[in-house]
Amino acid sequence: MAANSCAVLLQVTKCTFQRPSLPPKIEHSRNPLSSTFKPLLRELDHFPNISVDVPKAIKETSFKLLDAFVDFIYEFNNFAPVEEIREATTVRIVEGKIPDDFPEGVYVRNGPNPLFGGLKSTKSIFGESSHMWVEGEGMLHALYLKKDSSRKKWKTWYKNKHVQTDTYNMEKDRTKPGFLPAIQGDSPAILFSYLLNVLRFGVIDKYLSNTNVFEHANKYYSIAENHMPQEIDIHSLQTLGNWNFPSGSWNRPFTSHPKKAPGTGELVIIGIDAKKPYFELGVISADGKKMVHKADLMFDRCAVCHEIGVTQRYNVIMNFPLTIDISRLVLGGQLMRFEKDGYARIGILPRYGDANSIKWFEVDPCCVFHVINCFEHNDEVVVRACRARQSVIPGLSSSVNQLEKFSKWIKRETSFIDDGSEFTKESTFPRVCEWRLNMKTGEVKEKKNLSGDEFAMEFPIINEKFTGFSNKFAYLQVVELKEVSGSGYTRFGGLAKLHFEEKKASTDEEDELVKAEYHMFPKDTFCSGASFVPKYGGIDEDDGWIITFTHNENENISQVCIIDAKKFTDAPVTIITLSSRVPYGFHGAFMPLES
């Protein structure tokens, strides 16, 4: 079962756009430098009294001068992995102050932090294979906020730690990479990676646990789609082990975005697999001790579904044309592929329903990774999400020609065609959309762009008290359109607050855009893992704060910003400078903790 279910391999997923490690560019920079110095070395050969002992000269070269040279010539960004810090370190507030009514707790964010220096690729007689850009072992970055005994002063400290999955420990014990990349590359190479990984380690690929963190029944978990969640000691970030479901009631991975059902506190999960049953849904009791409901939804394909929605009565399922297909791989195609001519539909089923109770609504083919919220309104189920016409996952073939084309596309110089699909800014960057699905008539009302074309937006968050209920506001990370050093990496240069019940000021009565406010960070400062922190006793939906990690690439400083959600465009109320760099990552959460 492990071999088959891991073929789903990250199906997502991991969250559009960001890549966790710096690509190897040494070879690209070596040739120009070599060609520069070769003429000089040839001239030195004409002088018989000069002897150049290169190894000795290098050893005697000042390391400080070399560091200065590197700092002057090279530009580093914030995708490279970092080392674990042994002990939590106290951090200081550099601007503003933490509000007195801010809750005590821990702000924690997950993200890829590859072992042994970065993502890997292989070349063999079977062809090439490489890690997909969303891979990399998970690392948790946590900022703790607690008042002292006088209850007047705040204490803040930072800690990071890898999530110690079973496969993380396997490679750590070897002190070198072991698993062969098994997602992207030549079909024979991937198939032999499967075989050799299973023979050597017992599983197809690594368990990453690098996407999200969540709480259920007062326990805390790290998760990625390709395995079970790992329970985490939220105080020490120590991995306590895999979530063990009672009596083997769940034997497959589940979504990185489980949802708590309104009213009951039950946890709604899904799990996809590359073999039948392709898609199962489960409901876990509020105390986390039993599987209340489980159903095979009888999908006819393995459709990647990164996130589901819940309303007061229903579960909301996406069956969109980003698929995983082992047969396609065996025939020489891609394991994961967006089928631009495939069908797309949204399923609404009762909380404890099965395949026979799903009501399907056909929609235009598109790609959705993240759901903003779902709720019931009269006879309709309203679904809001981040929608793109095509998927940027799994990525492109690794040839230089393809990467050069992709680089031009990112710079908006051209469209890009890969595997028969045309990629443009309009087709791959997500906008906020809304579907209204009438449960009585079957009618679909679709608004494909509520947020406009000024910015692309992803990684949505809301006040989670409104999950499953009608909500006025959503907060999203704003995509920075500037490319990172020709690599195609995408960063987030700000945050947006959408007002769903207010229209954007416009003279066009047909305009469907909603009001948006923006909080943009200083130049070359980018955010990740934003989370909404509700105010204790708050009355309005936006009574609270947005908390997010940021990194200034010019100064190489990582910080945590706290922004008043009601005064969204104002300067952050607090900026806390961290003791070490925090690479860009995926999802974050604020976990209130008792004193």
Side-chain angles (χ1 to χ4, degrees):
M1 177 63 194
N4 286 312
S5 90
C6 289
V8 172
L9 310 185
L10 310 181
Q11 39 251 53
V12 216
T13 84
K14 297 199 186 65
C15 298
T16 29
F17 300 118
Q18 297 191 72
R19 304 188 186 181
S21 68
L22 202 63
K25 294 191 177 180
I26 296 174
E27 293 299 327
H28 293 285
S29 58
R30 178 185 297 168
N31 292 334
L33 290 175
S34 299
S35 61
T36 300
F37 287 107
K38 278 180 179 178
L40 174 61
L41 294 176
R42 283 197 299 267
E43 290 299 318
L44 289 174
D45 289 338
H46 296 311
F47 294 87
N49 294 328
I50 297 179
S51 176
V52 180
D53 186 342
V54 176
K56 183 178 179 180
I58 292 176
K59 289 178 182 179
E60 293 176 353
T61 301
S62 165
F63 284 108
K64 289 185 179 180
L65 288 175
L66 284 175
D67 284 343
F69 173 77
V70 170
D71 290 342
F72 181 75
I73 296 296
Y74 292 90
E75 177 183 344
F76 292 93
N77 58 43
N78 191 41
F79 291 95
V82 295
E83 297 294 326
E84 286 186 0
I85 58 177
R86 293 180 179 273
E87 300 293 337
T89 57
T90 300
V91 296
R92 62 190 178 91
I93 301 172
V94 294
E95 293 183 30
K97 69 172 188 176
I98 301 173
D100 292 336
D101 50 356
F102 195 87
E104 294 179 282
V106 54
Y107 169 48
V108 59
R109 197 221 66 201
N110 208 340
N113 197 79
L115 277 175
F116 311 118
L119 299 179
K120 307 296 183 292
S121 61
T122 65
K123 182 182 292 186
S124 70
I125 60 173
F126 308 113
E128 298 181 10
S129 68
S130 61
H131 284 127
M132 194 163 66
W133 57 266
V134 296
E135 297 185 73
E137 287 77 7
M139 176 176 274
L140 301 176
H141 299 266
L143 177 70
Y144 298 84
L145 303 100
K146 183 177 175 60
K147 289 183 177 179
D148 65 11
S149 56
S150 70
R151 311 296 297 163
K152 294 181 179 180
K153 294 184 178 180
W154 285 93
K155 297 188 297 182
T156 55
W157 63 98
Y158 164 79
K159 186 174 180 60
N160 68 11
K161 195 169 184 62
H162 268 116
V163 183
Q164 296 169 324
T165 64
D166 298 337
T167 58
Y168 169 89
N169 291 328
M170 289 178 193
E171 284 207 320
K172 193 73 172 176
D173 290 343
R174 290 168 55 92
T175 68
K176 64 178 182 179
F179 282 87
L180 299 173
I183 290 286
Q184 192 166 258
D186 298 320
S187 177
I190 294 176
L191 292 170
F192 273 94
S193 292
Y194 291 168
L195 176 62
L196 293 172
N197 285 343
V198 170
L199 291 176
R200 297 162 71 215
F201 302 107
V203 294
I204 277 183
D205 205 355
K206 292 188 284 190
Y207 304 145
L208 300 177
S209 199
N210 68 4
T211 308
N212 199 9
V213 287
F214 68 95
E215 175 273 333
H216 187 62
N218 295 318
K219 294 184 177 181
Y220 303 89
Y221 299 93
S222 172
I223 180 64
E225 262 92 332
N226 73 330
H227 192 44
M228 297 285 192
Q230 283 68 51
E231 185 180 353
I232 303 295
D233 181 330
I234 199 65
H235 300 283
S236 67
L237 301 186
Q238 186 68 35
T239 304
L240 303 179
N242 299 331
W243 186 344
N244 293 316
F245 290 92
S247 306
S249 56
W250 191 263
N251 58 359
R252 59 172 55 208
F254 68 72
T255 175
S256 293
H257 295 279
K259 293 293 176 68
K260 286 195 176 182
T264 67
E266 295 170 329
L267 194 70
V268 183
I269 65 173
I270 60 168
I272 69 172
D273 203 335
K275 68 176 186 61
K276 290 185 177 181
Y278 294 123
F279 196 113
E280 290 187 347
L281 177 138
V283 181
I284 300 171
S285 62
D287 62 9
K289 294 181 179 179
K290 63 179 180 179
M291 186 70 65
V292 177
H293 176 70
K294 180 180 176 181
D296 172 7
L297 299 189
M298 307 296 289
F299 277 30
D300 60 4
R301 64 183 181 181
C302 178
V304 172
C305 183
H306 182 56
E307 183 168 9
I308 58 172
V310 292
T311 71
Q312 291 176 273
R313 293 181 294 168
Y314 300 114
N315 306 313
V316 180
I317 305 299
M318 305 288 186
N319 185 353
F320 286 176
L322 178 60
T323 63
I324 293 171
D325 191 337
I326 295 292
S327 298
R328 184 171 60 216
L329 177 68
V330 171
L331 294 175
Q334 291 179 297
L335 174 66
M336 186 185 298
R337 180 182 175 185
F338 181 79
E339 300 174 343
K340 62 185 180 68
D341 297 323
Y343 64 86
R345 57 184 185 171
I346 300 174
I348 310 297
L349 71 156
R351 181 79 69 240
Y352 312 108
D354 57 21
N356 295 323
S357 58
I358 302 177
K359 186 174 182 63
W360 289 109
F361 294 85
E362 302 292 329
V363 298
D364 290 340
C366 62
C367 182
V368 168
F369 288 110
H370 294 115
V371 174
I372 297 173
N373 195 24
C374 305
F375 57 90
E376 300 165 39
H377 180 257
N378 298 327
D379 295 332
E380 296 177 329
V381 172
V382 181
V383 180
R384 291 175 181 149
C386 295
R387 176 191 186 277
R389 293 210 313 268
Q390 296 200 25
S391 173
V392 296
I393 287 178
L396 310 170
S397 62
S398 58
S399 71
V400 173
N401 185 45
Q402 292 288 74
L403 293 177
E404 286 178 353
K405 289 181 180 179
F406 186 61
S407 175
K408 290 182 179 180
W409 165 72
I410 284 288
K411 293 176 180 178
R412 312 296 176 248
E413 294 175 3
T414 183
S415 62
F416 179 82
I417 299 177
D418 180 65
D419 196 24
S421 299
E422 184 171 0
F423 293 82
T424 64
K425 171 184 173 182
E426 291 72 23
S427 70
T428 55
F429 275 18
R431 308 298 195 263
V432 173
C433 73
E434 178 184 279
W435 290 281
R436 288 183 173 267
L437 314 174
N438 193 300
M439 296 295 289
K440 283 191 175 181
T441 67
E443 181 184 7
V444 177
K445 297 177 182 177
E446 183 174 12
K447 295 180 179 179
K448 295 181 179 179
N449 187 355
L450 295 177
S451 53
D453 295 323
E454 184 177 3
F455 297 105
M457 304 178 187
E458 252 292 357
F459 291 85
I461 55 174
I462 65 170
N463 183 337
E464 290 189 356
K465 294 179 180 178
F466 289 81
T467 298
F469 299 97
S470 178
N471 64 306
K472 297 179 181 179
F473 308 111
Y475 311 86
L476 302 97
Q477 295 177 188
V478 174
V479 175
E480 166 70 28
L481 297 183
K482 182 181 177 182
E483 179 191 29
V484 182
S485 303
S487 65
Y489 294 166
T490 303
R491 304 163 297 187
F492 296 88
L495 298 166
K497 178 183 181 180
L498 298 188
H499 298 245
F500 290 116
E501 295 185 0
E502 297 184 52
K503 290 190 66 173
K504 180 180 180 179
S506 173
T507 57
D508 185 357
E509 294 184 0
E510 299 299 320
D511 196 343
E512 61 185 24
L513 302 183
V514 300
K515 177 183 175 181
E517 295 180 271
Y518 296 98
H519 185 106
M520 305 306 291
F521 296 107
K523 182 180 179 182
D524 296 322
T525 298
F526 307 99
C527 68
S528 66
S531 180
F532 184 88
V533 183
K535 181 183 295 185
Y536 284 140
I539 298 174
D540 296 331
E541 181 185 334
D542 57 352
D543 276 336
W545 303 267
I546 306 299
I547 189 168
T548 183
F549 283 99
T550 65
H551 184 79
N552 183 303
E553 293 190 353
N554 287 335
E555 300 179 8
N556 196 30
I557 293 175
S558 294
Q559 298 176 317
V560 169
C561 292
I562 300 176
I563 300 161
D564 189 327
K566 276 186 170 292
K567 301 175 182 178
F568 190 72
T569 60
D570 288 1
V573 296
T574 315
I575 299 177
I576 303 170
T577 298
L578 303 176
S579 53
S580 61
R581 183 172 64 85
V582 178
Y584 303 130
F586 297 140
H587 296 282
F590 184 85
M591 311 292 191
L593 300 175
E594 294 181 3
S595 302

